[in-house]
mmCIF file of all heavy atoms in Angstrom:
data_model
loop_
_atom_site.group_PDB
_atom_site.id
_atom_site.type_symbol
_atom_site.label_atom_id
_atom_site.label_comp_id
_atom_site.label_asym_id
_atom_site.label_seq_id
_atom_site.Cartn_x
_atom_site.Cartn_y
_atom_site.Cartn_z
ATOM 1 N N PHE A 171 17.266 36.111 7.614
ATOM 2 C CA PHE A 171 16.838 34.685 7.884
ATOM 3 C C PHE A 171 17.776 34.066 9.001
ATOM 4 O O PHE A 171 17.382 33.471 10.037
ATOM 5 C CB PHE A 171 16.679 33.758 6.715
ATOM 6 C CG PHE A 171 16.381 32.331 7.108
ATOM 7 C CD1 PHE A 171 15.024 32.014 7.344
ATOM 8 C CD2 PHE A 171 17.360 31.373 7.202
ATOM 9 C CE1 PHE A 171 14.619 30.710 7.698
ATOM 10 C CE2 PHE A 171 16.918 30.146 7.602
ATOM 11 C CZ PHE A 171 15.642 29.809 7.782
ATOM 12 N N ARG A 172 19.046 34.120 8.734
ATOM 13 C CA ARG A 172 20.029 33.532 9.646
ATOM 14 C C ARG A 172 19.984 34.101 11.101
ATOM 15 O O ARG A 172 19.969 33.391 12.035
ATOM 16 C CB ARG A 172 21.419 33.713 9.139
ATOM 17 C CG ARG A 172 21.789 32.886 7.947
ATOM 18 C CD ARG A 172 23.169 33.046 7.466
ATOM 19 N NE ARG A 172 23.496 32.045 6.423
ATOM 20 C CZ ARG A 172 23.892 30.770 6.658
ATOM 21 N NH1 ARG A 172 24.056 30.375 7.790
ATOM 22 N NH2 ARG A 172 24.130 29.883 5.502
ATOM 23 N N ARG A 173 19.755 35.440 11.108
ATOM 24 C CA ARG A 173 19.539 36.135 12.428
ATOM 25 C C ARG A 173 18.391 35.615 13.234
ATOM 26 O O ARG A 173 18.438 35.326 14.321
ATOM 27 C CB ARG A 173 19.651 37.661 12.223
ATOM 28 C CG ARG A 173 19.716 38.339 13.630
ATOM 29 C CD ARG A 173 20.020 39.811 13.299
ATOM 30 N NE ARG A 173 18.998 40.518 12.716
ATOM 31 C CZ ARG A 173 19.204 40.917 11.331
ATOM 32 N NH1 ARG A 173 20.260 40.802 10.726
ATOM 33 N NH2 ARG A 173 18.157 41.642 10.769
ATOM 34 N N GLU A 174 17.305 35.649 12.453
ATOM 35 C CA GLU A 174 16.012 35.434 13.087
ATOM 36 C C GLU A 174 15.885 33.809 13.432
ATOM 37 O O GLU A 174 15.259 33.377 14.406
ATOM 38 C CB GLU A 174 14.876 35.815 12.213
ATOM 39 C CG GLU A 174 14.712 37.295 12.222
ATOM 40 C CD GLU A 174 14.556 37.879 13.571
ATOM 41 O OE1 GLU A 174 13.566 37.524 14.263
ATOM 42 O OE2 GLU A 174 15.372 38.866 13.969
ATOM 43 N N ARG A 175 16.452 33.115 12.479
ATOM 44 C CA ARG A 175 16.362 31.602 12.731
ATOM 45 C C ARG A 175 17.121 31.278 13.995
ATOM 46 O O ARG A 175 16.767 30.366 14.845
ATOM 47 C CB ARG A 175 16.868 30.886 11.520
ATOM 48 C CG ARG A 175 16.684 29.284 11.680
ATOM 49 C CD ARG A 175 15.270 28.867 11.799
ATOM 50 N NE ARG A 175 15.299 27.363 11.760
ATOM 51 C CZ ARG A 175 14.230 26.680 12.094
ATOM 52 N NH1 ARG A 175 13.181 27.242 12.673
ATOM 53 N NH2 ARG A 175 14.278 25.376 12.072
ATOM 54 N N ALA A 176 18.361 31.863 14.092
ATOM 55 C CA ALA A 176 19.114 31.548 15.307
ATOM 56 C C ALA A 176 18.467 32.027 16.577
ATOM 57 O O ALA A 176 18.380 31.335 17.647
ATOM 58 C CB ALA A 176 20.510 32.372 15.101
ATOM 59 N N ARG A 177 17.697 33.186 16.420
ATOM 60 C CA ARG A 177 16.925 33.609 17.590
ATOM 61 C C ARG A 177 15.849 32.694 17.877
ATOM 62 O O ARG A 177 15.649 32.423 19.264
ATOM 63 C CB ARG A 177 16.371 34.950 17.286
ATOM 64 C CG ARG A 177 15.654 35.542 18.445
ATOM 65 C CD ARG A 177 14.972 36.900 17.985
ATOM 66 N NE ARG A 177 13.934 36.750 17.011
ATOM 67 C CZ ARG A 177 12.587 36.194 17.204
ATOM 68 N NH1 ARG A 177 12.199 35.887 18.422
ATOM 69 N NH2 ARG A 177 11.906 36.069 16.213
ATOM 70 N N VAL A 178 15.182 32.127 17.114
ATOM 71 C CA VAL A 178 14.063 31.206 17.343
ATOM 72 C C VAL A 178 14.585 30.030 17.936
ATOM 73 O O VAL A 178 14.045 29.437 19.002
ATOM 74 C CB VAL A 178 13.243 30.874 16.099
ATOM 75 C CG1 VAL A 178 12.330 29.767 16.278
ATOM 76 C CG2 VAL A 178 12.488 32.186 15.509
ATOM 77 N N LEU A 179 15.661 29.432 17.396
ATOM 78 C CA LEU A 179 16.197 28.155 17.835
ATOM 79 C C LEU A 179 16.711 28.466 19.246
ATOM 80 O O LEU A 179 16.640 27.536 20.145
ATOM 81 C CB LEU A 179 17.312 27.576 16.931
ATOM 82 C CG LEU A 179 16.685 27.202 15.555
ATOM 83 C CD1 LEU A 179 17.827 26.667 14.733
ATOM 84 C CD2 LEU A 179 15.522 26.193 15.623
ATOM 85 N N ALA A 180 17.449 29.558 19.564
ATOM 86 C CA ALA A 180 18.024 29.816 20.721
ATOM 87 C C ALA A 180 16.871 29.923 21.809
ATOM 88 O O ALA A 180 17.131 29.696 23.082
ATOM 89 C CB ALA A 180 18.727 31.132 20.715
ATOM 90 N N GLY A 181 15.662 30.321 21.446
ATOM 91 C CA GLY A 181 14.556 30.445 22.361
ATOM 92 C C GLY A 181 14.148 28.994 22.882
ATOM 93 O O GLY A 181 13.989 28.855 24.066
ATOM 94 N N PHE A 182 14.166 27.977 22.056
ATOM 95 C CA PHE A 182 13.890 26.591 22.543
ATOM 96 C C PHE A 182 15.060 26.164 23.404
ATOM 97 O O PHE A 182 14.904 25.466 24.452
ATOM 98 C CB PHE A 182 13.791 25.694 21.315
ATOM 99 C CG PHE A 182 12.430 25.844 20.553
ATOM 100 C CD1 PHE A 182 12.471 26.349 19.251
ATOM 101 C CD2 PHE A 182 11.394 25.508 21.276
ATOM 102 C CE1 PHE A 182 11.082 26.530 18.696
ATOM 103 C CE2 PHE A 182 10.045 25.556 20.578
ATOM 104 C CZ PHE A 182 10.025 26.060 19.281
ATOM 105 N N LEU A 183 16.412 26.460 23.005
ATOM 106 C CA LEU A 183 17.539 26.031 23.758
ATOM 107 C C LEU A 183 17.552 26.697 25.202
ATOM 108 O O LEU A 183 18.015 26.061 26.116
ATOM 109 C CB LEU A 183 18.772 26.296 22.929
ATOM 110 C CG LEU A 183 20.020 25.736 23.486
ATOM 111 C CD1 LEU A 183 20.008 24.223 23.503
ATOM 112 C CD2 LEU A 183 21.213 26.284 22.697
ATOM 113 N N ALA A 184 16.999 27.857 25.336
ATOM 114 C CA ALA A 184 16.973 28.445 26.589
ATOM 115 C C ALA A 184 16.108 27.937 27.602
ATOM 116 O O ALA A 184 16.111 28.255 28.803
ATOM 117 C CB ALA A 184 16.761 30.005 26.369
ATOM 118 N N ARG A 185 15.111 27.205 27.219
ATOM 119 C CA ARG A 185 14.074 26.664 28.110
ATOM 120 C C ARG A 185 14.740 25.542 28.935
ATOM 121 O O ARG A 185 15.719 24.992 28.651
ATOM 122 C CB ARG A 185 12.910 25.884 27.379
ATOM 123 C CG ARG A 185 12.296 26.910 26.443
ATOM 124 C CD ARG A 185 11.067 26.163 25.719
ATOM 125 N NE ARG A 185 10.277 27.172 24.905
ATOM 126 C CZ ARG A 185 9.143 26.831 24.253
ATOM 127 N NH1 ARG A 185 8.736 25.577 24.358
ATOM 128 N NH2 ARG A 185 8.580 27.777 23.541
ATOM 129 N N PRO A 186 14.303 25.516 30.208
ATOM 130 C CA PRO A 186 14.903 24.461 31.119
ATOM 131 C C PRO A 186 14.821 23.063 30.589
ATOM 132 O O PRO A 186 15.626 22.274 30.690
ATOM 133 C CB PRO A 186 13.983 24.632 32.331
ATOM 134 C CG PRO A 186 13.472 25.956 32.405
ATOM 135 C CD PRO A 186 13.282 26.390 30.984
ATOM 136 N N ARG A 187 13.666 22.831 29.818
ATOM 137 C CA ARG A 187 13.504 21.572 29.080
ATOM 138 C C ARG A 187 12.701 21.897 27.767
ATOM 139 O O ARG A 187 11.743 22.677 27.740
ATOM 140 C CB ARG A 187 12.672 20.529 29.838
ATOM 141 C CG ARG A 187 13.327 19.990 31.189
ATOM 142 C CD ARG A 187 12.610 18.820 31.733
ATOM 143 N NE ARG A 187 11.110 18.954 31.728
ATOM 144 C CZ ARG A 187 10.210 18.005 32.134
ATOM 145 N NH1 ARG A 187 10.821 16.883 32.643
ATOM 146 N NH2 ARG A 187 8.986 18.251 32.198
ATOM 147 N N ILE A 188 13.296 21.278 26.777
ATOM 148 C CA ILE A 188 12.571 21.603 25.377
ATOM 149 C C ILE A 188 11.300 20.764 25.371
ATOM 150 O O ILE A 188 10.288 21.268 24.919
ATOM 151 C CB ILE A 188 13.488 21.076 24.245
ATOM 152 C CG1 ILE A 188 14.655 22.048 24.240
ATOM 153 C CG2 ILE A 188 12.720 21.063 22.896
ATOM 154 C CD1 ILE A 188 15.939 21.410 23.327
ATOM 155 N N TYR A 189 11.243 19.441 25.838
ATOM 156 C CA TYR A 189 10.051 18.781 25.839
ATOM 157 C C TYR A 189 9.369 18.712 27.292
ATOM 158 O O TYR A 189 10.056 19.050 28.298
ATOM 159 C CB TYR A 189 10.527 17.392 25.539
ATOM 160 C CG TYR A 189 11.091 17.245 24.144
ATOM 161 C CD1 TYR A 189 12.442 17.107 23.928
ATOM 162 C CD2 TYR A 189 10.238 17.350 22.981
ATOM 163 C CE1 TYR A 189 12.981 17.023 22.636
ATOM 164 C CE2 TYR A 189 10.790 17.371 21.689
ATOM 165 C CZ TYR A 189 12.117 17.193 21.568
ATOM 166 O OH TYR A 189 12.663 17.159 20.240
ATOM 167 N N HIS A 190 8.130 18.463 27.271
ATOM 168 C CA HIS A 190 7.307 18.561 28.441
ATOM 169 C C HIS A 190 7.068 17.294 29.092
ATOM 170 O O HIS A 190 6.675 17.339 30.305
ATOM 171 C CB HIS A 190 6.015 19.244 28.090
ATOM 172 C CG HIS A 190 6.136 20.606 27.332
ATOM 173 N ND1 HIS A 190 6.081 21.727 28.105
ATOM 174 C CD2 HIS A 190 6.057 20.876 26.109
ATOM 175 C CE1 HIS A 190 6.145 22.790 27.280
ATOM 176 N NE2 HIS A 190 6.109 22.295 26.073
ATOM 177 N N THR A 191 7.192 16.151 28.361
ATOM 178 C CA THR A 191 6.953 14.863 28.995
ATOM 179 C C THR A 191 8.198 14.060 29.254
ATOM 180 O O THR A 191 9.172 14.262 28.526
ATOM 181 C CB THR A 191 5.911 14.140 28.158
ATOM 182 O OG1 THR A 191 6.604 13.831 26.888
ATOM 183 C CG2 THR A 191 4.716 14.856 27.842
ATOM 184 N N ARG A 192 8.196 13.175 30.265
ATOM 185 C CA ARG A 192 9.336 12.419 30.507
ATOM 186 C C ARG A 192 9.711 11.603 29.406
ATOM 187 O O ARG A 192 10.859 11.369 29.049
ATOM 188 C CB ARG A 192 9.082 11.606 31.772
ATOM 189 C CG ARG A 192 10.106 10.612 32.209
ATOM 190 C CD ARG A 192 11.523 11.311 32.405
ATOM 191 N NE ARG A 192 11.471 12.326 33.262
ATOM 192 C CZ ARG A 192 12.515 13.211 33.349
ATOM 193 N NH1 ARG A 192 13.688 13.065 32.648
ATOM 194 N NH2 ARG A 192 12.435 14.257 34.269
ATOM 195 N N THR A 193 8.737 11.080 28.779
ATOM 196 C CA THR A 193 8.925 10.170 27.559
ATOM 197 C C THR A 193 9.912 10.727 26.496
ATOM 198 O O THR A 193 10.842 10.260 26.060
ATOM 199 C CB THR A 193 7.654 9.825 26.912
ATOM 200 O OG1 THR A 193 6.775 8.969 27.784
ATOM 201 C CG2 THR A 193 7.832 8.950 25.618
ATOM 202 N N PHE A 194 9.459 12.023 26.153
ATOM 203 C CA PHE A 194 10.243 12.735 25.182
ATOM 204 C C PHE A 194 11.587 13.272 25.694
ATOM 205 O O PHE A 194 12.698 13.312 24.979
ATOM 206 C CB PHE A 194 9.450 13.830 24.416
ATOM 207 C CG PHE A 194 8.484 13.273 23.537
ATOM 208 C CD1 PHE A 194 7.254 12.800 23.889
ATOM 209 C CD2 PHE A 194 8.922 13.277 22.100
ATOM 210 C CE1 PHE A 194 6.353 12.288 22.908
ATOM 211 C CE2 PHE A 194 7.905 12.705 21.178
ATOM 212 C CZ PHE A 194 6.697 12.266 21.553
ATOM 213 N N VAL A 195 11.627 13.784 26.956
ATOM 214 C CA VAL A 195 12.865 14.196 27.526
ATOM 215 C C VAL A 195 13.829 13.122 27.459
ATOM 216 O O VAL A 195 15.036 13.254 27.116
ATOM 217 C CB VAL A 195 12.633 14.680 28.992
ATOM 218 C CG1 VAL A 195 13.943 14.903 29.706
ATOM 219 C CG2 VAL A 195 11.797 16.003 28.901
ATOM 220 N N ASP A 196 13.454 11.975 27.992
ATOM 221 C CA ASP A 196 14.362 10.852 28.044
ATOM 222 C C ASP A 196 14.819 10.353 26.685
ATOM 223 O O ASP A 196 16.156 10.150 26.491
ATOM 224 C CB ASP A 196 13.676 9.580 28.624
ATOM 225 C CG ASP A 196 13.518 9.862 30.184
ATOM 226 O OD1 ASP A 196 14.023 10.778 30.754
ATOM 227 O OD2 ASP A 196 12.765 9.123 30.682
ATOM 228 N N ALA A 197 13.961 10.573 25.600
ATOM 229 C CA ALA A 197 14.268 9.956 24.279
ATOM 230 C C ALA A 197 15.085 10.993 23.462
ATOM 231 O O ALA A 197 15.982 10.605 22.655
ATOM 232 C CB ALA A 197 13.015 9.507 23.573
ATOM 233 N N LEU A 198 14.736 12.220 23.651
ATOM 234 C CA LEU A 198 15.144 13.285 22.590
ATOM 235 C C LEU A 198 15.870 14.457 23.077
ATOM 236 O O LEU A 198 16.456 15.187 22.363
ATOM 237 C CB LEU A 198 13.870 13.672 21.682
ATOM 238 C CG LEU A 198 13.170 12.520 20.977
ATOM 239 C CD1 LEU A 198 12.041 13.112 20.274
ATOM 240 C CD2 LEU A 198 14.141 11.713 20.001
ATOM 241 N N GLU A 199 15.731 14.823 24.424
ATOM 242 C CA GLU A 199 16.126 16.092 24.964
ATOM 243 C C GLU A 199 17.688 16.331 24.605
ATOM 244 O O GLU A 199 18.104 17.283 24.090
ATOM 245 C CB GLU A 199 15.918 16.235 26.358
ATOM 246 C CG GLU A 199 16.349 17.458 26.974
ATOM 247 C CD GLU A 199 15.309 18.667 26.854
ATOM 248 O OE1 GLU A 199 14.193 18.351 26.460
ATOM 249 O OE2 GLU A 199 15.633 19.827 27.052
ATOM 250 N N GLN A 200 18.527 15.295 24.893
ATOM 251 C CA GLN A 200 19.925 15.595 24.712
ATOM 252 C C GLN A 200 20.298 15.772 23.343
ATOM 253 O O GLN A 200 20.984 16.610 22.933
ATOM 254 C CB GLN A 200 20.652 14.338 25.284
ATOM 255 C CG GLN A 200 22.232 14.572 25.208
ATOM 256 C CD GLN A 200 22.886 13.322 25.887
ATOM 257 O OE1 GLN A 200 22.247 12.382 26.416
ATOM 258 N NE2 GLN A 200 24.289 13.307 25.834
#
Side-chain angles (χ1 to χ4, degrees):
F171 177 82
R172 288 181 174 277
R173 184 169 66 250
E174 289 303 303
R175 184 64 174 158
R177 181 186 62 80
V178 169
L179 297 182
F182 285 111
L183 191 60
R185 296 181 179 186
R187 294 194 314 180
I188 295 168
Y189 298 104
H190 300 277
T191 64
R192 176 54 54 189
T193 297
F194 281 86
V195 169
D196 289 348
L198 300 178
E199 183 82 14
Q200 183 175 358

